[in-house]
Amino acid sequence: MTLRPQQRLAAGVIVFDDASEFSLQVDFMTMPSLKTKIQGPIAVIGDLHGQVSKLQVLLNRLRQLPDYQQRWIIFIGDFVDRGPDPKTGIDIFLELLKEHPKTTAIMGNHEFAMCSALGWFPETEGSLWSSRWVEHYDSETTFDSYGAAIGNLAELNTMVPAAHRELLVNLPWCVEHPQLLFVHAGLDPNIPFNVQLRILQQRDFSLNRPQWLSEKSFVNMDPPSDCPFTLVSGHVKVDDVVIRPRRILVDTTGGDSGDLSCVLMPERRVLTSGTNEAATSVTGDAQGKKPAKGSSWWKIWG
């Protein structure tokens, strides 16, 4: 069956070509398209969640790097909810995009929930995102930062600037690098890599809750054996950055406590928003514990 409803946005139109696929066509008025294929040195920043003071510290430390202009900065998703000021966090990201064009980001489950709740993505049967996001995603700080009454989706819809909406609805689900793949939650180890990559590249909005953005158990799993990349993710808070040969985990705040972390690659070094300005090297398991001396990293999961 072919359906062609159209939902107009201030900056574009969502077009449904059939029951299972749609294309999001937005005219970028204020923001260039985010890059999904990059190369060279990178700095990946953990889940932001509106933690603007921590972000400013990290960005100031990144600007002091001698190769700052050549280094890609990637945000791993979850700009909104939980932390103190999601709106300002997005403002800072948009300003950074102007200052430092080698900046990009991927979508987190919190952006997916927010956009779905506000009707910016097509609603799948039984999704109930309008209530799920408000009740279960610590969205109060997002409403508050935009000056909308908590839970009032209609008011929030009018308060979000067009540039913010353009950013959120167009966030890619993955960013590819010759050695690294950035995905918010991770990959399913039991599904062929090329199948998952194709879904991530195309952004399949027929899915009610895309597992690559939402599945917490992926933090304990390496990518499928046919994945040629080291997988970089956030989504689940770890005590310290985890760096393993095939997996890097960068969310060290969960949006509520701890220092915001940034991993520099290929150096395998970590910058944080904490008082210690020195970059450190961290390797361990998903609970932030370092492997015992002489042990193989893969035996942790074997």
Side-chain angles (χ1 to χ4, degrees):
M1 179 173 63
T2 300
L3 304 176
R4 286 190 173 274
Q6 294 186 347
Q7 176 183 350
R8 290 208 168 271
L9 301 176
V13 60
I14 296 177
V15 181
F16 297 83
D17 293 322
D18 56 52
S20 62
E21 297 179 0
F22 83 103
S23 59
L24 182 57
Q25 301 167 351
V26 175
D27 298 323
F28 286 96
M29 299 181 298
T30 57
M31 187 188 72
S33 177
L34 294 177
K35 299 297 184 183
T36 59
K37 294 188 178 182
I38 63 175
Q39 59 183 348
I42 66 97
V44 55
I45 296 175
D47 300 28
L48 183 56
H49 285 299
Q51 299 169 108
V52 296
S53 59
K54 297 176 184 179
L55 176 61
Q56 293 284 32
V57 172
L58 265 186
L59 292 178
N60 287 337
R61 291 175 180 171
L62 283 173
R63 291 183 181 107
Q64 296 171 17
L65 296 175
D67 64 349
Y68 171 70
Q69 295 299 332
Q70 290 73 47
R71 187 176 291 271
W72 277 94
I73 300 174
I74 304 102
F75 286 72
I76 205 68
D78 281 3
F79 287 90
V80 300
D81 301 341
R82 196 167 294 157
D85 196 351
K87 177 185 181 296
T88 299
I90 294 175
D91 284 334
I92 292 171
F93 176 84
L94 293 174
E95 286 301 313
L96 180 64
L97 198 58
K98 296 176 185 177
E99 167 204 320
H100 188 79
K102 286 191 171 184
T103 298
T104 191
I106 57 176
M107 183 175 291
N109 61 310
H110 284 259
E111 286 80 50
F112 185 90
M114 176 182 174
C115 291
S116 298
L118 291 172
W120 299 345
F121 291 157
E123 184 175 356
T124 57
E125 185 176 356
S127 64
L128 302 176
W129 276 115
S130 58
S131 58
R132 287 170 64 184
W133 179 56
V134 172
E135 296 171 6
H136 301 295
Y137 279 74
D138 300 317
S139 60
E140 296 87 353
T141 59
T142 301
F143 284 91
D144 188 60
S145 69
Y146 284 103
I150 294 173
N152 191 328
L153 294 171
E155 183 179 16
L156 179 62
N157 219 329
T158 65
M159 301 296 286
V160 177
H164 288 213
R165 183 168 56 247
E166 290 177 21
L167 170 67
L168 294 173
V169 300
N170 286 285
L171 285 169
W173 287 12
C174 70
V175 167
E176 300 168 59
H177 179 278
Q179 288 79 42
L180 307 165
L181 180 69
F182 303 88
V183 182
H184 180 67
L187 296 175
D188 190 323
N190 301 310
I191 298 177
F193 171 71
N194 285 336
V195 173
Q196 298 185 73
L197 182 62
R198 184 166 62 251
I199 295 171
L200 291 168
Q201 290 170 336
Q202 296 176 352
R203 305 198 312 162
D204 185 354
F205 287 95
S206 69
L207 300 170
N208 184 5
R209 183 176 176 269
Q211 58 184 327
W212 307 273
L213 280 60
S214 306
E215 181 54 58
K216 291 185 180 297
S217 67
F218 285 168
V219 70
N220 293 325
M221 303 176 184
D222 284 324
S225 58
D226 61 341
C227 175
F229 303 103
T230 293
L231 180 61
V232 185
S233 301
H235 187 50
V236 174
K237 181 181 178 180
V238 291
D239 293 336
D240 297 295
V241 165
V242 174
I243 300 178
R244 303 198 305 264
R246 304 191 68 223
R247 201 74 163 89
I248 297 174
L249 304 172
V250 299
D251 179 17
T252 53
T253 72
D256 52 27
S257 62
D259 295 328
L260 190 64
S261 293
C262 173
V263 178
L264 307 179
M265 294 293 284
E267 299 92 335
R268 296 165 61 91
R269 301 172 69 197
V270 179
L271 294 174
T272 79
S273 62
T275 56
N276 181 11
E277 296 189 21
T280 59
S281 177
V282 180
T283 303
D285 66 13
Q287 283 70 46
K289 300 175 183 178
K290 295 182 179 180
K293 185 175 181 180
S295 66
S296 299
W297 65 270
W298 51 267
K299 290 184 179 178
I300 297 170
W301 310 116

